[in-house]
Amino acid sequence: MRKELVAGPPPDAQPGAAAATPPRPPAAGPARARRRSRGDWSGYLFMVPWLVGLVSFTAGPLVISLYLSFTNYDLFTSPQWTGLANFKRMFTEDPRYWHAVRVTAIYTVTSVPAKLGLALAVALLLNRARRGVGIYRSLLYVPSLLGASVAIALVWRGMFDADGAVDQALSLVGIHMGSWIYQPDTALWTLVALVAWQFGAPMVIFLAGLKQIPGELYDAAAVDGASKVRQFWHVTVPMLSPVIFFNLLLEIIQAFQSFTPASIISGGTGGPADSTLVYTLYLYQKGFGDFEMGYASAMAWVLLAAVGAVTLVLFGTARLWVFYGGED
């Protein structure tokens, strides 16, 4: 018979004695504690440049601008505390302020859908495997690399000026518009066209999202008899909705902050007839043109509040139309 070995107390152990506990590891010595302390201080030391930049260029100016928004400050004399006078003047006594809000709202509502719609359409075309598709993607992304630079705005101004490239092209079909940038009815649309032309960045994000949609969903929809249009609305759009939400949020924030194109195309005036007077351009005029830095600071904080409110609304309504994988 095979005997089984059962662990038990040693032969000389007294009955009822408790089992011996394993020895505890020795406590960390003073040398080890000093090394750990030096390591912590090294990490803090490497964070000093970032902390200096945060305080000097972000947190500090933010706090100062909040203070200046409640003062009358002209850059040359000491700020004088006025309380809510800047905000009262902004909302009740400055019709040009509300005109800038209206222009910015029209610009945002028209440019963002145009840019995202064009980006999604091009992404759908480039999502198919075909010869030279990588070259097309690179070429269509180039305008976004240029950004809203002064040089691009100057080129755009020349294209839409009298006898510019756009007017000459339209003249071939018997349409002569003249200078688009000097007509109040068309000046703002040149800015919208410039923004829509720079669709490369959201296009790349849309393209990445399209690559993540399983092909089995399209196969199942095709078996059920769904057309390409129904597949787009019932497969592509729901699966791409998180990417659409991301691009929509970024583009709205960028539209609120748009400054360079309007400033260059209008020559810094917001003309003609204030048709291109976007919010940030009017803020710049009040701060550095009229030297009303307190009023400009108040405008900046209202803009921050507006961006935050729109962001909260988007996140609050996202659950109604944004679909994430794994959800019902």
Side-chain angles (χ1 to χ4, degrees):
M1 296 178 63
R2 185 171 57 184
K3 297 181 179 180
E4 295 182 357
L5 298 178
V6 179
D12 56 349
Q14 297 295 328
T21 58
R24 295 181 179 179
R32 185 176 180 183
R34 285 195 298 270
R35 287 196 300 269
R36 180 179 299 176
S37 178
R38 285 197 299 267
D40 293 342
W41 280 109
S42 299
Y44 295 139
L45 184 61
F46 279 108
M47 290 177 61
V48 167
W50 178 83
L51 292 173
V52 171
L54 175 65
V55 174
S56 302
F57 302 108
T58 303
L62 199 65
V63 174
I64 293 174
S65 68
L66 179 60
Y67 166 73
L68 292 178
S69 65
F70 298 100
T71 64
N72 182 15
Y73 181 50
D74 59 1
L75 293 177
F76 302 104
T77 59
S78 300
Q80 298 178 358
W81 183 266
T82 58
L84 298 175
N86 288 326
F87 298 93
K88 179 181 178 182
R89 172 189 168 192
M90 188 187 313
F91 296 138
T92 61
E93 303 173 7
D94 190 356
R96 201 160 180 247
Y97 169 83
W98 287 109
H99 180 78
V101 172
R102 176 177 172 274
V103 171
T104 304
I106 295 174
Y107 172 77
T108 303
V109 171
T110 54
S111 64
V112 172
K115 184 176 183 178
L116 294 183
L118 188 58
L120 180 57
V122 176
L124 290 171
L125 293 176
L126 297 179
N127 191 39
R128 301 177 181 179
R130 62 185 67 189
R131 252 180 108 180
V133 67
I135 298 176
Y136 294 130
R137 292 172 184 171
S138 300
L139 292 176
L140 292 172
Y141 183 69
V142 167
S144 292
L145 294 177
L146 302 176
S149 62
V150 175
I152 295 301
L154 289 173
V155 171
W156 206 259
R157 180 177 179 177
M159 289 176 57
F160 284 91
D161 206 345
D163 297 328
V166 175
D167 187 63
Q168 292 180 6
L170 293 176
S171 298
L172 298 177
V173 293
I175 302 175
H176 183 71
M177 293 291 298
S179 176
W180 289 57
I181 62 176
Y182 291 116
Q183 299 183 33
D185 296 335
T186 57
L188 183 61
W189 304 116
T190 61
L191 302 180
V192 174
L194 175 57
V195 172
W197 172 69
Q198 297 174 327
F199 61 85
M203 176 201 71
V204 171
I205 299 176
F206 278 137
L207 192 57
L210 290 171
K211 295 294 183 182
Q212 302 300 318
I213 301 178
E216 294 82 1
L217 298 179
Y218 294 103
D219 296 337
V223 170
D224 291 340
S227 62
K228 293 295 184 181
V229 176
R230 291 181 64 87
Q231 290 180 26
F232 173 77
W233 286 111
H234 295 283
V235 177
T236 303
V237 172
M239 297 300 295
L240 203 62
S241 57
V243 179
I244 297 175
F245 173 77
F246 177 77
N247 275 332
L248 179 64
L249 181 61
L250 289 185
E251 295 301 328
I252 288 178
I253 294 176
Q254 290 181 6
F256 280 177
Q257 297 176 340
S258 179
F259 169 78
T260 303
S263 178
I264 297 301
I265 290 179
S266 67
T269 63
D274 287 346
S275 59
T276 60
L277 186 67
V278 295
Y279 194 97
T280 52
L281 179 56
Y282 186 51
L283 188 155
Y284 177 84
Q285 289 180 356
K286 300 304 290 184
F288 297 96
D290 299 336
F291 300 109
E292 298 182 19
M293 190 57 67
Y295 189 75
S297 299
M299 289 182 60
W301 276 95
V302 171
L303 176 61
L304 177 62
V307 172
V310 171
T311 302
L312 290 177
V313 170
L314 286 177
F315 274 100
T317 58
R319 60 184 179 84
L320 302 177
W321 60 278
V322 179
F323 170 79
Y324 294 96
E327 294 183 347
D328 295 335

mmCIF file of all heavy atoms in Angstrom, residues 20-60:
data_model
loop_
_atom_site.group_PDB
_atom_site.id
_atom_site.type_symbol
_atom_site.label_atom_id
_atom_site.label_comp_id
_atom_site.label_asym_id
_atom_site.label_seq_id
_atom_site.Cartn_x
_atom_site.Cartn_y
_atom_site.Cartn_z
ATOM 1 N N ALA A 20 4.252 28.260 13.235
ATOM 2 C CA ALA A 20 5.190 29.383 13.180
ATOM 3 C C ALA A 20 4.877 30.278 11.992
ATOM 4 O O ALA A 20 4.628 29.788 10.888
ATOM 5 C CB ALA A 20 6.616 28.856 13.106
ATOM 6 N N THR A 21 4.842 31.607 12.175
ATOM 7 C CA THR A 21 4.604 32.563 11.096
ATOM 8 C C THR A 21 5.899 32.894 10.393
ATOM 9 O O THR A 21 6.971 32.913 11.022
ATOM 10 C CB THR A 21 3.998 33.867 11.666
ATOM 11 O OG1 THR A 21 4.898 34.394 12.630
ATOM 12 C CG2 THR A 21 2.646 33.575 12.320
ATOM 13 N N PRO A 22 5.838 33.135 9.040
ATOM 14 C CA PRO A 22 7.068 33.464 8.305
ATOM 15 C C PRO A 22 7.623 34.800 8.768
ATOM 16 O O PRO A 22 6.878 35.710 9.149
ATOM 17 C CB PRO A 22 6.600 33.533 6.852
ATOM 18 C CG PRO A 22 5.148 33.811 6.941
ATOM 19 C CD PRO A 22 4.662 33.114 8.180
ATOM 20 N N PRO A 23 8.908 34.937 8.742
ATOM 21 C CA PRO A 23 9.515 36.202 9.199
ATOM 22 C C PRO A 23 9.160 37.354 8.281
ATOM 23 O O PRO A 23 9.025 37.187 7.070
ATOM 24 C CB PRO A 23 11.018 35.900 9.157
ATOM 25 C CG PRO A 23 11.147 34.814 8.144
ATOM 26 C CD PRO A 23 9.913 33.971 8.275
ATOM 27 N N ARG A 24 8.963 38.545 8.831
ATOM 28 C CA ARG A 24 8.641 39.729 8.043
ATOM 29 C C ARG A 24 9.903 40.280 7.394
ATOM 30 O O ARG A 24 10.994 40.184 7.964
ATOM 31 C CB ARG A 24 8.025 40.816 8.933
ATOM 32 C CG ARG A 24 6.681 40.425 9.520
ATOM 33 C CD ARG A 24 6.124 41.557 10.355
ATOM 34 N NE ARG A 24 4.819 41.202 10.905
ATOM 35 C CZ ARG A 24 4.114 42.001 11.692
ATOM 36 N NH1 ARG A 24 4.613 43.203 12.016
ATOM 37 N NH2 ARG A 24 2.943 41.615 12.154
ATOM 38 N N PRO A 25 9.720 40.862 6.170
ATOM 39 C CA PRO A 25 10.898 41.457 5.535
ATOM 40 C C PRO A 25 11.369 42.669 6.321
ATOM 41 O O PRO A 25 10.556 43.373 6.945
ATOM 42 C CB PRO A 25 10.397 41.868 4.147
ATOM 43 C CG PRO A 25 8.922 42.005 4.315
ATOM 44 C CD PRO A 25 8.515 40.976 5.343
ATOM 45 N N PRO A 26 12.627 42.899 6.333
ATOM 46 C CA PRO A 26 13.136 44.048 7.094
ATOM 47 C C PRO A 26 12.615 45.360 6.524
ATOM 48 O O PRO A 26 12.377 45.497 5.328
ATOM 49 C CB PRO A 26 14.653 43.924 6.928
ATOM 50 C CG PRO A 26 14.836 43.135 5.675
ATOM 51 C CD PRO A 26 13.685 42.170 5.617
ATOM 52 N N ALA A 27 12.370 46.299 7.402
ATOM 53 C CA ALA A 27 11.870 47.613 6.979
ATOM 54 C C ALA A 27 12.916 48.328 6.133
ATOM 55 O O ALA A 27 14.118 48.078 6.246
ATOM 56 C CB ALA A 27 11.522 48.453 8.207
ATOM 57 N N ALA A 28 12.396 49.196 5.247
ATOM 58 C CA ALA A 28 13.309 49.936 4.382
ATOM 59 C C ALA A 28 14.226 50.797 5.233
ATOM 60 O O ALA A 28 13.792 51.511 6.132
ATOM 61 C CB ALA A 28 12.518 50.802 3.414
ATOM 62 N N GLY A 29 15.469 50.734 4.913
ATOM 63 C CA GLY A 29 16.450 51.475 5.673
ATOM 64 C C GLY A 29 16.491 52.939 5.303
ATOM 65 O O GLY A 29 15.864 53.380 4.332
ATOM 66 N N PRO A 30 17.209 53.731 6.059
ATOM 67 C CA PRO A 30 17.313 55.171 5.753
ATOM 68 C C PRO A 30 17.899 55.447 4.383
ATOM 69 O O PRO A 30 17.485 56.391 3.708
ATOM 70 C CB PRO A 30 18.220 55.680 6.879
ATOM 71 C CG PRO A 30 18.113 54.665 7.969
ATOM 72 C CD PRO A 30 17.900 53.347 7.290
ATOM 73 N N ALA A 31 18.837 54.606 3.941
ATOM 74 C CA ALA A 31 19.451 54.834 2.622
ATOM 75 C C ALA A 31 18.427 54.678 1.512
ATOM 76 O O ALA A 31 18.384 55.467 0.559
ATOM 77 C CB ALA A 31 20.619 53.874 2.421
ATOM 78 N N ARG A 32 17.580 53.640 1.645
ATOM 79 C CA ARG A 32 16.558 53.437 0.620
ATOM 80 C C ARG A 32 15.548 54.580 0.606
ATOM 81 O O ARG A 32 15.106 55.019 -0.445
ATOM 82 C CB ARG A 32 15.860 52.105 0.897
ATOM 83 C CG ARG A 32 14.851 51.704 -0.168
ATOM 84 C CD ARG A 32 14.290 50.340 0.118
ATOM 85 N NE ARG A 32 13.325 49.960 -0.883
ATOM 86 C CZ ARG A 32 12.626 48.826 -0.851
ATOM 87 N NH1 ARG A 32 12.834 47.960 0.143
ATOM 88 N NH2 ARG A 32 11.766 48.533 -1.794
ATOM 89 N N ALA A 33 15.182 55.071 1.779
ATOM 90 C CA ALA A 33 14.247 56.200 1.842
ATOM 91 C C ALA A 33 14.845 57.454 1.218
ATOM 92 O O ALA A 33 14.155 58.216 0.528
ATOM 93 C CB ALA A 33 13.871 56.465 3.299
ATOM 94 N N ARG A 34 16.148 57.653 1.452
ATOM 95 C CA ARG A 34 16.787 58.832 0.844
ATOM 96 C C ARG A 34 16.822 58.716 -0.674
ATOM 97 O O ARG A 34 16.613 59.705 -1.389
ATOM 98 C CB ARG A 34 18.204 58.985 1.411
ATOM 99 C CG ARG A 34 18.239 59.523 2.843
ATOM 100 C CD ARG A 34 19.646 59.993 3.192
ATOM 101 N NE ARG A 34 20.612 58.902 3.134
ATOM 102 C CZ ARG A 34 20.910 58.128 4.175
ATOM 103 N NH1 ARG A 34 20.324 58.322 5.354
ATOM 104 N NH2 ARG A 34 21.812 57.174 4.059
ATOM 105 N N ARG A 35 17.074 57.517 -1.187
ATOM 106 C CA ARG A 35 17.091 57.337 -2.645
ATOM 107 C C ARG A 35 15.705 57.604 -3.242
ATOM 108 O O ARG A 35 15.575 58.222 -4.290
ATOM 109 C CB ARG A 35 17.551 55.929 -2.993
ATOM 110 C CG ARG A 35 19.052 55.690 -2.786
ATOM 111 C CD ARG A 35 19.503 54.436 -3.507
ATOM 112 N NE ARG A 35 18.796 53.251 -3.018
ATOM 113 C CZ ARG A 35 19.232 52.489 -2.013
ATOM 114 N NH1 ARG A 35 20.361 52.803 -1.380
ATOM 115 N NH2 ARG A 35 18.550 51.422 -1.643
ATOM 116 N N ARG A 36 14.676 57.124 -2.544
ATOM 117 C CA ARG A 36 13.318 57.371 -3.041
ATOM 118 C C ARG A 36 12.992 58.857 -3.019
ATOM 119 O O ARG A 36 12.370 59.388 -3.933
ATOM 120 C CB ARG A 36 12.319 56.597 -2.194
ATOM 121 C CG ARG A 36 10.868 56.780 -2.638
ATOM 122 C CD ARG A 36 9.934 55.975 -1.773
ATOM 123 N NE ARG A 36 10.232 54.544 -1.868
ATOM 124 C CZ ARG A 36 9.605 53.616 -1.138
ATOM 125 N NH1 ARG A 36 8.684 53.989 -0.249
ATOM 126 N NH2 ARG A 36 9.909 52.339 -1.283
ATOM 127 N N SER A 37 13.415 59.552 -1.975
ATOM 128 C CA SER A 37 13.173 60.992 -1.887
ATOM 129 C C SER A 37 13.885 61.738 -3.003
ATOM 130 O O SER A 37 13.324 62.646 -3.613
ATOM 131 C CB SER A 37 13.627 61.500 -0.522
ATOM 132 O OG SER A 37 13.449 62.895 -0.429
ATOM 133 N N ARG A 38 15.131 61.337 -3.281
ATOM 134 C CA ARG A 38 15.854 61.986 -4.383
ATOM 135 C C ARG A 38 15.171 61.728 -5.718
ATOM 136 O O ARG A 38 15.113 62.606 -6.582
ATOM 137 C CB ARG A 38 17.305 61.486 -4.418
ATOM 138 C CG ARG A 38 18.184 62.065 -3.319
ATOM 139 C CD ARG A 38 19.648 61.881 -3.658
ATOM 140 N NE ARG A 38 19.986 60.473 -3.771
ATOM 141 C CZ ARG A 38 20.465 59.726 -2.772
ATOM 142 N NH1 ARG A 38 20.629 60.274 -1.569
ATOM 143 N NH2 ARG A 38 20.764 58.458 -2.950
ATOM 144 N N GLY A 39 14.618 60.527 -5.899
ATOM 145 C CA GLY A 39 13.898 60.241 -7.143
ATOM 146 C C GLY A 39 12.661 61.091 -7.302
ATOM 147 O O GLY A 39 12.345 61.572 -8.396
ATOM 148 N N ASP A 40 11.930 61.313 -6.183
ATOM 149 C CA ASP A 40 10.745 62.169 -6.248
ATOM 150 C C ASP A 40 11.123 63.599 -6.608
ATOM 151 O O ASP A 40 10.456 64.238 -7.441
ATOM 152 C CB ASP A 40 10.022 62.139 -4.904
ATOM 153 C CG ASP A 40 9.424 60.760 -4.600
ATOM 154 O OD1 ASP A 40 9.285 59.973 -5.553
ATOM 155 O OD2 ASP A 40 9.130 60.488 -3.416
ATOM 156 N N TRP A 41 12.170 64.103 -5.981
ATOM 157 C CA TRP A 41 12.577 65.475 -6.279
ATOM 158 C C TRP A 41 13.077 65.614 -7.707
ATOM 159 O O TRP A 41 12.904 66.673 -8.322
ATOM 160 C CB TRP A 41 13.663 65.908 -5.288
ATOM 161 C CG TRP A 41 13.114 66.320 -3.973
ATOM 162 C CD1 TRP A 41 13.214 65.663 -2.796
ATOM 163 C CD2 TRP A 41 12.338 67.486 -3.710
ATOM 164 N NE1 TRP A 41 12.554 66.321 -1.793
ATOM 165 C CE2 TRP A 41 12.004 67.467 -2.323
ATOM 166 C CE3 TRP A 41 11.882 68.550 -4.486
ATOM 167 C CZ2 TRP A 41 11.251 68.456 -1.716
ATOM 168 C CZ3 TRP A 41 11.132 69.546 -3.872
ATOM 169 C CH2 TRP A 41 10.825 69.494 -2.515
ATOM 170 N N SER A 42 13.667 64.558 -8.256
ATOM 171 C CA SER A 42 14.091 64.619 -9.667
ATOM 172 C C SER A 42 12.894 64.758 -10.593
ATOM 173 O O SER A 42 12.922 65.532 -11.555
ATOM 174 C CB SER A 42 14.891 63.358 -10.019
ATOM 175 O OG SER A 42 16.052 63.252 -9.224
ATOM 176 N N GLY A 43 11.812 64.024 -10.290
ATOM 177 C CA GLY A 43 10.594 64.160 -11.099
ATOM 178 C C GLY A 43 10.012 65.554 -11.021
ATOM 179 O O GLY A 43 9.605 66.132 -12.039
ATOM 180 N N TYR A 44 9.977 66.113 -9.811
ATOM 181 C CA TYR A 44 9.470 67.487 -9.661
ATOM 182 C C TYR A 44 10.355 68.492 -10.400
ATOM 183 O O TYR A 44 9.858 69.474 -10.978
ATOM 184 C CB TYR A 44 9.396 67.861 -8.189
ATOM 185 C CG TYR A 44 8.393 67.053 -7.398
ATOM 186 C CD1 TYR A 44 8.686 66.606 -6.118
ATOM 187 C CD2 TYR A 44 7.155 66.739 -7.953
ATOM 188 C CE1 TYR A 44 7.764 65.851 -5.399
ATOM 189 C CE2 TYR A 44 6.233 65.990 -7.246
ATOM 190 C CZ TYR A 44 6.541 65.547 -5.972
ATOM 191 O OH TYR A 44 5.632 64.810 -5.276
ATOM 192 N N LEU A 45 11.645 68.224 -10.413
ATOM 193 C CA LEU A 45 12.566 69.141 -11.094
ATOM 194 C C LEU A 45 12.318 69.146 -12.590
ATOM 195 O O LEU A 45 12.350 70.203 -13.236
ATOM 196 C CB LEU A 45 14.014 68.726 -10.790
ATOM 197 C CG LEU A 45 15.107 69.645 -11.346
ATOM 198 C CD1 LEU A 45 14.979 71.045 -10.755
ATOM 199 C CD2 LEU A 45 16.489 69.068 -11.062
ATOM 200 N N PHE A 46 12.057 67.973 -13.155
ATOM 201 C CA PHE A 46 11.765 67.914 -14.581
ATOM 202 C C PHE A 46 10.429 68.567 -14.915
ATOM 203 O O PHE A 46 10.196 68.969 -16.065
ATOM 204 C CB PHE A 46 11.760 66.458 -15.059
ATOM 205 C CG PHE A 46 13.133 65.902 -15.314
ATOM 206 C CD1 PHE A 46 13.697 64.968 -14.453
ATOM 207 C CD2 PHE A 46 13.873 66.315 -16.416
ATOM 208 C CE1 PHE A 46 14.955 64.461 -14.681
ATOM 209 C CE2 PHE A 46 15.134 65.811 -16.658
ATOM 210 C CZ PHE A 46 15.686 64.887 -15.788
ATOM 211 N N MET A 47 9.531 68.678 -13.958
ATOM 212 C CA MET A 47 8.236 69.313 -14.190
ATOM 213 C C MET A 47 8.298 70.830 -14.088
ATOM 214 O O MET A 47 7.332 71.506 -14.475
ATOM 215 C CB MET A 47 7.208 68.797 -13.171
ATOM 216 C CG MET A 47 6.808 67.353 -13.371
ATOM 217 S SD MET A 47 5.664 66.796 -12.088
ATOM 218 C CE MET A 47 4.296 67.923 -12.345
ATOM 219 N N VAL A 48 9.392 71.370 -13.581
ATOM 220 C CA VAL A 48 9.490 72.817 -13.380
ATOM 221 C C VAL A 48 9.291 73.602 -14.675
ATOM 222 O O VAL A 48 8.524 74.584 -14.697
ATOM 223 C CB VAL A 48 10.828 73.173 -12.708
ATOM 224 C CG1 VAL A 48 11.087 74.669 -12.776
ATOM 225 C CG2 VAL A 48 10.821 72.716 -11.266
ATOM 226 N N PRO A 49 9.944 73.252 -15.812
ATOM 227 C CA PRO A 49 9.702 74.040 -17.042
ATOM 228 C C PRO A 49 8.241 74.057 -17.453
ATOM 229 O O PRO A 49 7.722 75.096 -17.878
ATOM 230 C CB PRO A 49 10.588 73.334 -18.077
ATOM 231 C CG PRO A 49 11.644 72.662 -17.285
ATOM 232 C CD PRO A 49 10.984 72.229 -16.012
ATOM 233 N N TRP A 50 7.575 72.903 -17.319
ATOM 234 C CA TRP A 50 6.155 72.865 -17.687
ATOM 235 C C TRP A 50 5.329 73.722 -16.737
ATOM 236 O O TRP A 50 4.421 74.443 -17.172
ATOM 237 C CB TRP A 50 5.656 71.419 -17.652
ATOM 238 C CG TRP A 50 4.204 71.297 -17.974
ATOM 239 C CD1 TRP A 50 3.617 71.252 -19.207
ATOM 240 C CD2 TRP A 50 3.124 71.228 -17.017
ATOM 241 N NE1 TRP A 50 2.257 71.155 -19.084
ATOM 242 C CE2 TRP A 50 1.928 71.146 -17.757
ATOM 243 C CE3 TRP A 50 3.078 71.234 -15.626
ATOM 244 C CZ2 TRP A 50 0.686 71.049 -17.138
ATOM 245 C CZ3 TRP A 50 1.840 71.147 -15.008
ATOM 246 C CH2 TRP A 50 0.662 71.057 -15.761
ATOM 247 N N LEU A 51 5.621 73.661 -15.447
ATOM 248 C CA LEU A 51 4.883 74.462 -14.482
ATOM 249 C C LEU A 51 5.104 75.955 -14.707
ATOM 250 O O LEU A 51 4.163 76.755 -14.600
ATOM 251 C CB LEU A 51 5.292 74.079 -13.055
ATOM 252 C CG LEU A 51 4.881 72.683 -12.582
ATOM 253 C CD1 LEU A 51 5.488 72.373 -11.215
ATOM 254 C CD2 LEU A 51 3.372 72.571 -12.525
ATOM 255 N N VAL A 52 6.336 76.337 -15.045
ATOM 256 C CA VAL A 52 6.624 77.743 -15.330
ATOM 257 C C VAL A 52 5.840 78.208 -16.552
ATOM 258 O O VAL A 52 5.252 79.298 -16.572
ATOM 259 C CB VAL A 52 8.134 77.958 -15.523
ATOM 260 C CG1 VAL A 52 8.427 79.367 -16.031
ATOM 261 C CG2 VAL A 52 8.883 77.705 -14.217
ATOM 262 N N GLY A 53 5.818 77.370 -17.590
ATOM 263 C CA GLY A 53 5.050 77.726 -18.781
ATOM 264 C C GLY A 53 3.561 77.800 -18.505
ATOM 265 O O GLY A 53 2.867 78.684 -19.019
ATOM 266 N N LEU A 54 3.056 76.872 -17.670
ATOM 267 C CA LEU A 54 1.628 76.886 -17.338
ATOM 268 C C LEU A 54 1.245 78.166 -16.612
ATOM 269 O O LEU A 54 0.241 78.819 -16.935
ATOM 270 C CB LEU A 54 1.294 75.662 -16.481
ATOM 271 C CG LEU A 54 -0.135 75.580 -15.947
ATOM 272 C CD1 LEU A 54 -1.123 75.419 -17.087
ATOM 273 C CD2 LEU A 54 -0.277 74.428 -14.951
ATOM 274 N N VAL A 55 2.050 78.539 -15.621
ATOM 275 C CA VAL A 55 1.740 79.737 -14.840
ATOM 276 C C VAL A 55 1.947 81.008 -15.664
ATOM 277 O O VAL A 55 1.148 81.953 -15.600
ATOM 278 C CB VAL A 55 2.589 79.772 -13.556
ATOM 279 C CG1 VAL A 55 2.397 81.081 -12.810
ATOM 280 C CG2 VAL A 55 2.257 78.586 -12.660
ATOM 281 N N SER A 56 3.007 81.039 -16.478
ATOM 282 C CA SER A 56 3.367 82.259 -17.201
ATOM 283 C C SER A 56 2.483 82.504 -18.413
ATOM 284 O O SER A 56 2.144 83.654 -18.711
ATOM 285 C CB SER A 56 4.836 82.186 -17.636
ATOM 286 O OG SER A 56 5.689 82.012 -16.523
ATOM 287 N N PHE A 57 2.099 81.450 -19.133
ATOM 288 C CA PHE A 57 1.426 81.636 -20.413
ATOM 289 C C PHE A 57 -0.017 81.152 -20.437
ATOM 290 O O PHE A 57 -0.723 81.407 -21.418
ATOM 291 C CB PHE A 57 2.210 80.917 -21.518
ATOM 292 C CG PHE A 57 3.634 81.380 -21.642
ATOM 293 C CD1 PHE A 57 4.682 80.572 -21.232
ATOM 294 C CD2 PHE A 57 3.925 82.632 -22.155
ATOM 295 C CE1 PHE A 57 5.994 80.992 -21.339
ATOM 296 C CE2 PHE A 57 5.231 83.065 -22.264
ATOM 297 C CZ PHE A 57 6.271 82.246 -21.845
ATOM 298 N N THR A 58 -0.480 80.459 -19.413
ATOM 299 C CA THR A 58 -1.854 79.967 -19.431
ATOM 300 C C THR A 58 -2.621 80.419 -18.191
ATOM 301 O O THR A 58 -3.555 81.225 -18.291
ATOM 302 C CB THR A 58 -1.873 78.426 -19.525
ATOM 303 O OG1 THR A 58 -1.154 78.013 -20.688
ATOM 304 C CG2 THR A 58 -3.306 77.934 -19.626
ATOM 305 N N ALA A 59 -2.245 79.908 -17.035
ATOM 306 C CA ALA A 59 -3.006 80.213 -15.814
ATOM 307 C C ALA A 59 -2.895 81.684 -15.431
ATOM 308 O O ALA A 59 -3.907 82.317 -15.086
ATOM 309 C CB ALA A 59 -2.513 79.322 -14.669
ATOM 310 N N GLY A 60 -1.680 82.245 -15.508
ATOM 311 C CA GLY A 60 -1.499 83.648 -15.141
ATOM 312 C C GLY A 60 -2.299 84.597 -16.014
ATOM 313 O O GLY A 60 -3.098 85.404 -15.495
#
